């Protein structure tokens, strides 16, 4: 074999090996690229799923917040209605005619007063002359000082004092009957 043919054979073998190495490198690169694309696709799908889950959680949270706010508003409005009912009841007690106001005073004295109590009418009691007659007739003393309460009277007793104002009576009624009243008004 001549030097020239040996040279050509070496170059030909080297070129064949280089082409084989290039083909192997291209296949390896294609394999790495496909694997990277697959990993990227899986990563993107996982992230999209996480984002969708977060969006769903936010939407559920928003819906829950809206429901809670609606319930709070509803409760606030119900309280406002109950407040209005008791405010109107208080106004009605102040607007009672003299006879009915005096009868109410007598009933309250029978229920709450004890022997020896002194009655202090509220500053805004509408019929003090009629009240004085009823208090004296019932056997109680009338205080010359007026009580700073809303309607009704204050009992000054030997053992304890009692607030029998319209406001206190309605507050006690509200504590006792508010749930029943709300059930009737709101048909719950």
């Amino acid at each position: 074999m001549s030097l020239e043919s040996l040279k050509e054979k070496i170059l030909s073998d080297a070129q064949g090996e280089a082409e084989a190495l290039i083909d192997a490198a291209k296949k390896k690169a294609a394999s790495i690229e496909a694997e990277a694309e697959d990993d990227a696709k899986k990563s993107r799908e996982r992230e999209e799923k996480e984002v969708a889950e977060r969006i769903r959680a936010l939407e559920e949270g928003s819906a829950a917040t809206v429901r809670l706010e609606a319930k709070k508003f509803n409760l606030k409005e119900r309280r406002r209605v109950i407040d209005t009912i008791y405010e109107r009841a208080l106004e009605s007690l102040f607007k009672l005619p003299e006879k009915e106001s005096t009868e109410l005073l007598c009933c309250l004295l029978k229920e709450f007063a004890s022997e020896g109590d002194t009655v202090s009418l509220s500053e805004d009691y509408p019929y003090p002359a009629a009240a004085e007659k009823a208090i004296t007739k019932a056997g109680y003393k009338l205080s010359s000082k007026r009580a700073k309460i809303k309607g009704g009277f204050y009992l000054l007793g030997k053992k304890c004092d009692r607030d029998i104002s319209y406001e206190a009576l309605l507050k006690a009624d509200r504590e006792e009957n508010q749930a029943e009243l709300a059930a009737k008004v709101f048909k719950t």
Side-chain angles (χ1 to χ4, degrees):
M1 207 185 272
S2 74
L3 186 59
E4 209 41 55
S5 51
L6 185 62
K7 194 174 169 186
E8 280 181 32
K9 175 138 174 74
I10 291 173
L11 280 173
S12 172
D13 288 347
Q15 192 172 4
E17 279 182 41
E19 286 175 6
L21 284 172
I22 290 171
D23 283 344
K26 284 181 180 178
K27 287 180 183 175
K28 181 70 174 173
S31 170
I32 291 171
E33 186 179 336
E35 193 175 308
E37 284 179 6
D38 188 48
D39 286 348
K41 180 181 175 185
K42 287 178 183 175
S43 179
R44 185 177 58 249
E45 287 172 353
R46 187 173 51 250
E47 287 177 12
E48 286 174 353
K49 186 177 178 182
E50 287 175 9
V51 167
E53 182 63 28
R54 285 184 187 155
I55 290 171
R56 186 190 61 75
L58 286 172
E59 287 172 346
E60 286 179 5
S62 294
T65 300
V66 168
R67 285 191 303 273
L68 179 62
E69 289 300 318
K71 286 181 180 181
K72 284 170 49 178
F73 179 77
N74 190 14
L75 181 60
K76 180 181 171 187
E77 287 304 304
R78 286 178 179 216
R79 281 188 182 142
R80 187 184 61 75
V81 168
I82 298 295
D83 288 345
T84 301
I85 289 170
Y86 279 95
E87 286 167 8
R88 288 184 181 165
L90 182 62
E91 289 171 11
S92 296
L93 288 170
F94 278 106
K95 292 179 182 178
L96 286 175
E98 184 175 337
K99 181 181 178 196
E100 291 174 0
S101 181
T102 305
E103 288 173 358
L104 176 61
L105 173 80
C106 291
C107 288
L108 292 172
L109 284 171
K110 283 180 187 176
E111 186 172 343
F112 295 107
S114 300
E115 187 179 327
D117 284 352
T118 300
V119 178
S120 177
L121 292 174
S122 68
E123 291 178 327
D124 52 5
Y125 195 85
Y127 311 107
E132 183 177 359
K133 287 179 188 175
I135 292 167
T136 305
K137 186 177 179 183
Y140 301 103
K141 294 182 224 171
L142 178 63
S143 173
S144 59
K145 293 183 180 178
R146 293 289 193 103
K148 295 184 184 223
I149 54 177
K150 288 194 176 185
F153 55 92
Y154 198 82
L155 285 174
L156 304 163
K158 292 179 181 177
K159 295 180 183 176
C160 69
D161 297 341
R162 297 184 86 178
D163 182 357
I164 313 297
S165 64
Y166 296 158
E167 186 176 52
L169 294 170
L170 288 172
K171 182 179 179 185
D173 182 81
R174 183 174 184 160
E175 288 173 6
E176 186 177 327
N177 300 308
Q178 180 172 242
E180 185 180 325
L181 177 62
K184 287 179 182 176
V185 170
F186 304 112
K187 307 219 187 307
T188 56

